[in-house]
């Protein structure tokens, strides 16, 4: 049994969420921390901040640096070169609905595979065919999964999780919370978040 826990809020349009998703499982295992994978939508949160698009689009110099930074980080993680989506940020609504529908055991594998399709293969994650192929590749009955993911009950689950993220103070992705409510933002804060979670569990 893991001695600590960490909530991992991620958005499928976020390339830094992709990098975090690719490495969080192995790092959490080493730290003896259980990860709660929590897909959500950044769009409503950005809208509340007054943004109509990603800040990386609003500020072109910041966006240009982001893509160069991602290239370096992907190389350091031994991942394929980053492929920029044709539309950024991509529409990850269907992907998020599917992810929140899947159970805790299946959600991480789907998340990693979908992120890889988007940022390593350049696939359009707003395309149902992309989501279908990712699900099929993981052995899911994709038609049933997508139908259930688009049910009103499941749509409400995603809305609630997005509202939960906003209420907890999430303003970007990825964001991590430890059991004491401490917020850590960004892929580069993952190790710090895991260490804090481990220390909390040891002190309990």
């Amino acid at each position: 049994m893991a001695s600590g826990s960490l909530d991992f809020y991620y958005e499928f349009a976020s390339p830094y969420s992709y990098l975090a998703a690719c490495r969080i499982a192995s790092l959490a295992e080493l730290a003896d921390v259980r990860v709660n994978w929590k897909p959500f939508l950044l769009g409503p949160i950005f809208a509340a901040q007054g943004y109509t698009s990603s800040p990386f689009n609003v500020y072109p110099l910041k966006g240009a640096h982001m893509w160069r930074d991602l290239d370096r980080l992907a190389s350091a993680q031994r991942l394929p070169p980053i492929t920029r989506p044709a539309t950024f940020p991509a529409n990850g609504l269907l992907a998020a609905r599917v992810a929140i529908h899947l159970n805790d055991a299946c959600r991480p594998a789907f998340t990693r595979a979908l992120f890889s399709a988007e940022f390593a293969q350049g696939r359009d994650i707003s395309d149902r065919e992309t989501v279908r192929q990712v699900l099929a590749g993981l052995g899911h009955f994709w038609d049933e999964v997508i139908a259930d993911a688009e049910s009103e009950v499941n749509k409400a689950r995603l809305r609630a999780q997005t509202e939960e993220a906003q209420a907890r103070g999430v303003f970007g992705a990825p964001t991590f919370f430890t059991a004491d409510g401490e917020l850590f933002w960004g892929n580069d804060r993952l190790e710090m978040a895991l260490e804090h979670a481990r220390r909390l569990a040891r002190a309990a």
Side-chain angles (χ1 to χ4, degrees):
M1 176 180 291
S3 62
S5 66
L6 189 72
D7 290 344
F8 169 34
Y9 287 89
Y10 60 95
E11 152 73 73
F12 280 108
S14 162
Y16 288 105
S17 291
Y18 160 56
L19 296 177
C22 288
R23 66 197 194 97
I24 193 171
S26 58
L27 291 175
E29 183 177 4
L30 288 173
D32 196 23
V33 170
R34 181 185 70 256
V35 177
N36 302 312
W37 295 63
K38 290 179 168 285
F40 77 110
L41 299 176
L42 260 178
I45 293 175
F46 279 166
Q49 296 171 356
Y51 291 113
T52 57
S53 183
S54 166
F56 294 111
N57 288 341
V58 175
Y59 303 103
L61 286 176
K62 187 174 185 178
H65 171 75
M66 177 193 72
W67 293 112
R68 183 67 190 106
D69 187 47
L70 290 166
D71 286 338
R72 291 191 297 253
L73 291 170
S75 177
Q77 289 184 219
R78 300 183 183 276
L79 295 171
I82 293 288
T83 300
R84 303 186 191 189
T87 299
F88 179 81
N91 184 340
L93 178 60
L94 177 58
R97 286 174 175 168
V98 169
I100 203 168
H101 166 67
L102 294 172
N103 62 35
D104 292 343
C106 297
R107 189 175 302 122
F110 170 78
T111 296
R112 287 189 294 265
L114 200 286
F115 269 134
S116 179
E118 179 182 14
F119 290 114
Q121 302 167 31
R123 304 284 302 278
D124 178 4
I125 64 168
S126 69
D127 187 342
R128 295 173 69 87
E129 181 62 14
T130 298
V131 178
R132 183 197 73 77
Q133 289 184 9
V134 168
L135 286 168
L138 294 170
H140 293 287
F141 294 106
W142 60 268
D143 51 346
E144 295 178 9
V145 171
I146 290 178
D148 290 341
E150 294 190 312
S151 69
E152 291 305 316
V153 170
N154 194 65
K155 289 178 181 178
R157 286 183 64 197
L158 180 59
R159 285 194 297 271
Q161 188 140 284
T162 298
E163 291 167 0
E164 171 191 281
Q166 188 167 16
R168 295 182 76 177
V170 170
F171 53 85
T175 295
F176 314 98
F177 284 95
T178 48
D180 61 349
E182 194 75 9
L183 181 156
F184 298 83
W185 173 54
N187 173 56
D188 59 347
R189 294 297 185 268
L190 174 54
E191 286 86 351
M192 187 180 293
L194 287 168
E195 176 61 17
H196 189 69
R198 186 185 66 82
R199 288 180 180 177
L200 282 177
R202 287 191 173 184

